[in-house]
Amino acid sequence: MSGAHEPVMLAEIVDVFAQIPDGVLLDATLGMAGHATAILRRHQGLRVVGIDRDDMAIAHANKVKQELGADAARFTAVHARFDRAADALGGLGIERLSGALFDLGVSSPQLDMADRGFSYRNDAPLDMRMDRSEGLSAWNVVNEYDAEAIAEILRRNADERFAKRIADAIVAARPINTTKHLADVVTAAIPAATRRTGGHPAKRTFQAIRIEVNAELDILPQALRDVMSMIVPGGRIAVLSYHSGEDRIVKEVMREAETDASRPNIATPFAHPSRTAPRAWRKVRVAKKPGADEAARNPRATSARLRVMERCEVAA
């Protein structure tokens, strides 16, 4: 899992966690461990536990750990999906978190390694599984789902306006076994005038199928809620999302947490009946998008959106 990789909004993420309490920070999407190691070096009072569903990411993280020197004892990598973070942490005896990071989407090495089947720019067998031990692959979606189901996936996961045309073309072209064949079928299904603008015509289709294969939107809401329930007062959660479907879910979960007065605050278990119950979470104002220099340097960062919440500690 080698190759160039620049963590998105690295300086901003490190700053988000600079003042959180000492304890454990969860990197729920470890990837190449760029965010995790930068946070580890900046905050000497943190232990960082990184989880990832990709076995190659975990193997890479274990190599990174060997290079951390004295900081290595504060870094742990675990093979797990982020909706199973609580179980993974429980296995390490961890019940509370000082912070959590979710960097959603696909990592640069996954896109760049042709045999993973994530990219329309390489020719490879259709796969797109982040965890290659799981059964459903892009091949199954493309060759076994009916046209109506494929069209719905394209609309829901990528806001694809030509969803029906693309779905019908995919079904008509079966069997489709490679990424190049799929990209060609999708490109031909999109009107010529549209193909000339907006990047590669197959980009949205590949995104939508990848999200379906890995159940990314399905597992996200509960994963966020579970992790947020473990964060101590003064702790923070930061989420980087890369498309509207992800960002809608993140906003909804964070809004729900910010406005929910029904759950007692960790620091204030009892609210006076004559007063409004304290809110457990507040938004943290940060730069929501990468700066112009980063976007120019790293085009894959362009669509990133950062949202941060802090667990409140309300005086009794």
Side-chain angles (χ1 to χ4, degrees):
M1 201 165 181
S2 59
H5 173 71
E6 180 179 351
V8 173
M9 298 184 74
L10 179 61
E12 292 87 345
I13 292 293
V14 170
D15 285 344
V16 161
F17 295 116
Q19 301 300 320
I20 63 173
D22 291 353
V24 178
L25 180 135
L26 170 70
D27 186 336
T29 47
L30 185 58
M32 294 290 284
H35 289 119
T37 53
I39 293 166
L40 196 73
R41 290 180 174 122
R42 171 77 173 269
H43 200 316
Q44 294 297 310
L46 284 179
R47 173 187 177 187
V48 175
V49 176
I51 64 173
D52 204 291
R53 65 198 297 182
D54 191 330
D55 60 319
M56 295 183 70
I58 300 304
H60 177 78
N62 288 327
K63 291 179 181 178
V64 169
K65 182 169 182 170
Q66 296 173 12
E67 301 168 1
L68 287 174
D71 293 328
R74 296 187 291 114
F75 179 61
T76 305
V78 180
H79 186 212
R81 213 166 72 170
F82 60 56
D83 61 327
R84 297 166 189 155
D87 290 339
L89 292 165
L92 299 171
I94 298 168
E95 297 180 352
R96 290 285 180 263
L97 295 171
S98 295
L101 170 64
F102 286 74
D103 182 3
L104 305 174
V106 63
S107 71
S108 295
Q110 286 170 329
L111 286 170
D112 293 337
M113 296 177 69
D115 63 346
R116 300 300 298 270
F118 282 98
S119 177
Y120 45 82
R121 300 189 185 281
N122 301 311
D123 192 18
L126 280 171
D127 193 333
M128 302 193 196
R129 290 173 298 169
M130 292 180 178
D131 184 343
R132 291 175 293 178
S133 69
E134 295 180 352
L136 184 71
S137 72
W139 188 95
N140 299 111
V141 175
V142 168
N143 290 287
E144 296 176 351
Y145 284 29
D146 62 30
E148 183 177 349
I150 294 173
E152 176 57 27
I153 288 166
L154 298 180
R155 294 187 194 100
R156 183 181 70 242
N157 295 350
D159 298 321
E160 175 54 72
R161 62 182 172 131
F162 299 109
K164 186 178 186 308
R165 290 180 60 148
I166 294 169
D168 289 343
I170 287 172
V171 170
R174 289 171 173 170
I176 300 174
N177 296 315
T178 67
T179 52
K180 184 179 185 304
H181 188 186
L182 176 60
D184 289 345
V185 169
V186 173
T187 299
I190 293 175
T194 303
R195 294 201 300 264
R196 289 193 285 269
T197 61
H200 196 288
K203 180 179 180 179
R204 290 181 183 271
T205 296
F206 272 66
Q207 170 187 289
I209 294 172
R210 186 205 80 220
I211 290 171
E212 171 69 13
V213 167
N214 296 288
E216 293 171 47
L217 300 188
D218 296 334
I219 67 176
L220 180 57
Q222 194 58 49
L224 291 172
R225 294 186 186 104
D226 289 347
V227 169
M228 290 174 76
S229 73
M230 301 177 71
I231 295 179
V232 301
R236 291 180 171 185
I237 181 169
V239 184
L240 280 164
S241 59
Y242 294 87
H243 66 84
S244 59
E246 288 174 343
D247 195 45
R248 280 194 295 267
I249 290 171
V250 174
K251 284 192 294 185
E252 180 180 344
V253 172
M254 288 185 169
R255 186 184 304 116
E256 169 191 290
E258 185 181 30
T259 59
D260 183 9
S262 66
R263 300 176 187 174
N265 188 279
I266 287 177
T268 312
F270 303 103
H272 192 281
S274 66
R275 296 199 295 262
T276 302
R279 296 294 191 265
W281 291 91
R282 71 173 184 89
K283 291 190 183 80
V284 178
R285 296 191 181 279
V286 294
K288 289 185 178 179
K289 301 178 182 180
D293 288 347
E294 179 176 359
R297 189 174 64 248
N298 181 15
R300 288 175 180 166
T302 304
S303 60
R305 299 294 179 270
L306 174 62
R307 297 186 184 275
V308 181
M309 295 280 281
E310 180 175 287
R311 185 72 193 262
C312 300
E313 186 167 12
V314 182

